[in-house]
Structure formats: structure tokens, C-alpha cells
Amino acid sequence: MAIVIFLTFVAFVLGLSFYFGAKTKSASGYYAAGGNIHWGVNGIAFAGDYLSAASFLGICGMIATSGYDGFLYSIGYLAGWMVALFVVAEPMKRMGKYTFTDAVDAKFNSKSIKLMAAISTLIVSVCYLIPQMVGAGVLVQPLLGLPHEIGVIIVGTVVIIIVATAGMTSTTYVQFLKGGLLIVFSLIVTVALLVRGLSTRPDQGGKVPFHVYAELVTTTVDGKIIPADTAFTVSETKVVKDHTFVKLTKEGKASWWMNAERDGKPVLQECQWESQIPGQPKVVNGEAGGKLRNVGSLRAINGDASAEAKTGALGPFSFLSKIGAKDTKVDLWKFSKFKDASGAEVSVHYSYTTTGNKILRPGAKFKIEGTWLERLDFISLMLALFLGTAALPHILIRYYTVSSPAAARKSTIVAIAAIGFFYILTLYMGLGAMVNSVINPTENNMSAPLLAQTFGTFLFAVISAIAFATVLGTVAGLIVASSGAVAHDLMDRFMNIKMDEKQKVKAGRIAALIVGVIAIMLGIIFKGQNVSFLVGLAFAVAASANLPAIIMLLFWKRTTSQGIAASIGVGVVSSLTLIGLSPSIFKQFGLDPASAPVPFDNPGIVSIPLSFIVLVVVSLLTEKKEHLEH
Amino acid sequence: MFHEPAQKSGKDPATPYKTRIGMWMFLVYALIYAGFVAINLISPVLMEAEIFWGLNLAVVYGFFLIAFALVLALAYNHLCGKREAEFAANPTEEVK
């Protein structure tokens, strides 16, 4: 049933594209939907554009594994809309025609601005495309049983068809439909979650028996750990950082355990594990080709750790207060990798217990109590989230699909209402996944759809189809923005290639195809990264490259075309360089993160002010020259 | 489908007013957002403090930032719409 619902949804989206495709004849229709979309529809389409894979998959996944720190993304993303509404919405509509470049270049008609703004649009769009494509791969795996790479290729192909056929009109209606459905079905999942309540033995509505992880009492003799249960024998001990893992054998079967303490007594705690000798099939929990169990559960609710502890239906506030209580205990999971004595690559997934009050406050992921550099990294992230929204090309182009500046303002307010409501739901869905044993230990992006699955296959299929459409819609919007940058900004306005309306649309479609293929390749390379983290980086690039130009153009009369071009260029180069040399990217490519030359992951705190400074300095240096020229 | 006729936007005499109140509202929101980030950095333990109905400061402040965004947005739209209507009714009025 899941596959049928999913395929029906995708077929409907494609049908919509072909329908609008037949009507799209002009450049205005292709890039800006003719400027005649109603502000209410555009507002929900904004929400559809914005509630991408990062919001639905990434934030819920991050909340499921790190608690409140994931919700910080929701807060930052929503706050960014205030910049969009109060500073950017109406001026962008007044100044622009089809693209971000049109707006920043409206006053100057400068070749250098056209070039830099088009390059910036392309780079930001590609940065934002990566997490969407990663999300696509993640979704298709459990739904259709296809590998990540195939999922990425399917999404890429479908989106290229959507964009290449109809451009902004079909993208808008796909986003409207998907944005509305995403909010409605997320609300349904949240209500179902509250009705179910909390339990220390979550069994997914009776469908999946809760696995109780065993603990063996141990003694230590001459530094050797010995389990009290003599049926187990220790065959290997491995120390990885602060943890000691022990391989036990019982009746010829091996398993990995972790040395720990429970109520002050030493115990060995049952783990999940994957082991692979090169050239042989992976062994998971002792089975060749097996699968890890999903994880995440409550060990105690308000101090009650009994097997029967459950709350029954809860209200929205009591749900949060129970999870966030000091005497509530949550079991979360981490993993360690090492080589065992036989030379096999082993990943051991182990649980650790934390209290509810630590789950519902910041600090589980972001080291806000760490070194000053780690704190700076946090400020940098929050700054980029706040300033990035109003600089995203696929968001900015949506201001051109409505008829007037007032309509642009109203559609932004509809978007704020829809997005704000959805972000409140992310906290419930993320925490729901955390305590309902639905987190895949190797990949947290699927937490929300897997939570939906515990309420039935239908809900899982619909939520997955919507999540897939989420990716489709956002990728489509990004590709429209990119194709506009290439065909309209670069070919038409920068290179002055003479094209009639039909040729402009054709150029946009070819550009969409090329950008789509690049997106597919990057989606495969970045497999495994949390999609919200990747989007956070795209926000930093957008905020560094585009926002200083928009703000200063609007509020500083001495801004020059050279200042804007230099600011965009420096913003792009500095943010990308800082990201490329950051610990996370080193880790992604198998290098030691500690050896990364840049000690933080989020570049905004350096690159955004730098871009502003460059704009001011270059504008002051070129001010007289430009006045003379004009 | 809802469609409005495409129209070219002419000169809007309410623009200076809208820009001014937009900047003030932006500053108010930015200060409250900065306060949220500052508490997280300076005293993250404070975020555990219970405020009401068993909800801690982290949840209450986070929800408030989301709800307040909508309240400010609606207030901004009301003020902008009112001024636009005034100019539409009396096109010769000077920009205040």
C-alpha cells in the first residue's frame, strides 16, 4: 500500500507539471509564474519551499537524537522570516523582475553585479540542493527498498522533468499542495502521539515488541572483567576513548557488550553491533545481512522505572513537562568504531541514560558550556539561521510570483503562520521519535516518517510521499532559481546573448538539466550527513554572500556597484573556504577533524561581517569614480 | 485556482513609513532573539528553570519567539495596510 500511495502522489505531481507546462510559453511564466499567483497560495507555497527535507527530516531527526538542540534550528529558521518580512519582502518585489540579480542590479545595471549575483545564486542553490538530495536518498531506502544512490537519481530525474516542463507555475502549485499536506499530516501524527502518551516499554501500538537490553552483573579480577553469569565467556576486550567494550561468547555465539555502571554496581550492558571483514557480508547483531533494531526509549517517567510505567493520553504541555522532568530518564544511543582481533571493522552501538531536564534544554549537541571557540560556533550558527532566510535565492524569487509589494508582504505573513505552527510540531514529532524506539541508530533523518509508521502503514505512506514531495518541491524551486541565474542573469543580461521568449525558456530548461545532474552527484557524495546541519551551512553561505548586498543597497545611499559585487564575491569565497576547512567537512571526507585548520563548523560569524566590511570599504573607495561615471 | 491579475507596482507613498516601522519591529525581534542566544551562552542552566505548567524556560522562550513573530507580523501588516488605505483614500496626503 505504501508504494501505491507514494507512486500515486508522484504521478499526480508530474501530471500537474505537464498541465502547467503546456501553458508556459513566456519567460515571465517560466521564471515568475506570470506574477499572478494569489498571496494566500504563495504564502503556503513559501512554506512548502521552506519546509524542506531539512525541516521535516533533519530537525525531527536532530531533536530525536539531541533533544532541544534540534529545536534551535526551528527557532532560528523561523526568526529568519522576520528579516524577510520587515526588511526584504516589499523592496525585493519593487526592484526585481525574475531573479535576485535583477533586484540588486536594479539601481546600477552593472555587469560585475550581474556576474557575481548569478554565481552566488548558483552556489547557494547547489549548497542547499545537497541536503535535499541526501534526504531523497534516505527516504527511498525504507519506502521502496532501494539504495540511497537510486533514491537520489529518482528525485533528480523527476525534478528535472518538473522544472524543465513548467518552471515556476508548477513548482508553486506543487509547493502549495505539499506545504498544506505536510502541516495537516504532521498535526495528525502529533495528535496521535499525544493520545498514545508515554511508556517505558514502547511497542509501537502493539506492532513491534519492545526489546529489553540485557545487563550482566560483573566482577573485576586482576583488571579483567568477568560476568557473574558463567554461561558467558570473555573472548576480547577493546578500550575506545572512555569506553570499554567486551566481546562475549555464549553457546558459540558472539556478541558485544559495554562496561558500565547501574545504580553504582558494575555491569556489562548489551549493545547492538555491526562487523565486517573486507570482501565478506556484513554481520549485524550476529546475523549475516541482518538489520539493527531501531532505538530510543524512556527508562523512567517521573521517577517510575517499572515495566508498566505509562501515562495514557497527554495534553501538549503535560507531554513536554513529563519528558523534561528531572526524574524522567531517557535512553539514547551512540556508537564507536574499531578493528577487532580478527581484523574486522566493528561498529558498536551502545545506549546511555540522560535525564529529561537535560533533553529539554540546549547543550546536548552544541557545546554551549565548552571552550570560547565552541560557543562562538553556536553564535555563528544562530546568526546564519537568522540572516540566511532572507538571502535564499529560491525564497527571494517567490516574491516575483505575486502581483504587488503588498501581496508579497501578505504572503510572507501567511508563510510565517504556517511555518511557525509546523516548527512547534517538530518538537513533538522529534521527542515522540526519541521515546518510541523508532530511531535508526546509523541515520536519524528518517525519525519522523518512522514515527508515523508506528501509527499505521497508511500514515507512513502518506507522510513519506509528502516528505518526498517536500524534497521534489524544494529541489524544483532551487533549480528554477539556478536556471534563472544561468539563462536570464548570465546568458541574457551579462553576456547579452539575444534570445526571444521561447529561446529564453529553452535556455532555462537546459540549465535546469545541468544543475539537476550536478545535484544528483553531490547528493550521492554527501550520503549520511544530517540534512539540517547541511542546510545550516547553506544558510551561512547565503547570509554571507547575498544579505549584506540587499541590506546596504536598501539602507546606505553611498553603496556602489563595485561594493556590492566585491561583497558578494568575498561572502561566497570566505564562507565556502571556512566550511571547506572545517572539522565536519574533514570528517565527511575521512580526515581527522582535529587537524582541520578552521576550528569551527559554522562560518557566519566571520564571513557575514567580512562581507559587510568589504562592501563599505570598496564603496567608499569607488564612490567618487562611480558618481563621475554617472 | 486563485489567480490575481498581474499588475505593475507603481510608486508607493507609504514606503518610507513601512520601512521605518519595519526597521523598528526588526530591531525589537532581533533583541529578543539575541536575548535567547545570550541566555543559552551565559547561563544555559537557567533554561531548565520551570516557568509554568511544568514547562521550562527553554520551551517557553522558544514557543514565545515563534508566537511573537506572528503577532509582530500581523501588527506590521495592519499598520502597513492602514497607511496604504489612507493614501489610497487621499492620494495628495504628504508622506509622514
Side-chain angles (χ1 to χ4, degrees), chain A residues 83-96 100 103-108 390 396 399-400 546-560 564 612 615, chain B residues 15-16 19-20 23 76:
Chain A
V83 186
L85 174 66
F86 294 140
V87 185
V88 172
E90 291 201 37
M92 282 302 290
K93 174 64 188 167
R94 271 195 298 274
M95 292 189 298
F100 158 71
V104 284
D105 192 38
K107 185 176 160 188
F108 302 106
L396 292 174
Y399 286 120
Y400 308 128
N546 299 347
L547 198 76
I550 298 169
I551 299 266
M552 298 306 271
L553 182 66
L554 294 175
F555 297 104
W556 195 47
K557 286 180 181 167
R558 295 168 75 179
T559 301
T560 64
I564 287 180
F612 270 109
L615 190 149
Chain B
T15 296
T19 305
R20 199 165 57 245
M23 278 313 296
Y76 175 69

Side-chain angles (χ1 to χ4, degrees), chain A residues 1-3 5 207 452-463:
Chain A
M1 182 171 75
I3 295 171
I5 292 174
K207 288 193 281 289
Q453 194 173 26
T454 69
F455 299 107
T457 310
F458 174 76
L459 204 51
F460 172 64
V462 173
I463 284 279

Side-chain angles (χ1 to χ4, degrees), chain A residues 22 49 84 93 100 107 128 179 223 288 292 468 475 558 623:
Chain A
D49 264 327
K93 174 64 188 167
F100 158 71
K107 185 176 160 188
Y128 209 96
L292 291 169
F468 195 75
V475 172
R558 295 168 75 179
E623 191 179 21

Side-chain angles (χ1 to χ4, degrees), chain A residues 240-318:
Chain A
V240 183
K241 291 183 183 169
D242 299 334
H243 298 292
T244 302
F245 298 102
V246 178
K247 189 177 187 178
L248 299 181
T249 308
K250 182 184 180 185
E251 295 166 358
K253 282 189 172 178
S255 55
W256 281 96
W257 299 66
M258 187 179 77
N259 193 30
E261 272 194 6
R262 182 71 63 198
D263 303 325
K265 290 177 187 165
V267 293
L268 280 177
Q269 188 179 298
E270 184 188 0
C271 299
Q272 297 200 68
W273 53 281
E274 301 164 281
S275 170
Q276 183 155 37
I277 294 171
Q280 292 184 21
K282 188 187 271 186
V283 176
V284 180
N285 292 337
E287 273 183 49
K291 277 177 75 177
L292 291 169
R293 283 181 295 273
N294 288 346
V295 297
S297 57
L298 289 170
R299 183 168 285 271
I301 305 168
N302 279 138
D304 183 357
S306 65
E308 298 80 26
K310 55 175 72 172
T311 62
L314 290 168
F317 292 148
S318 53

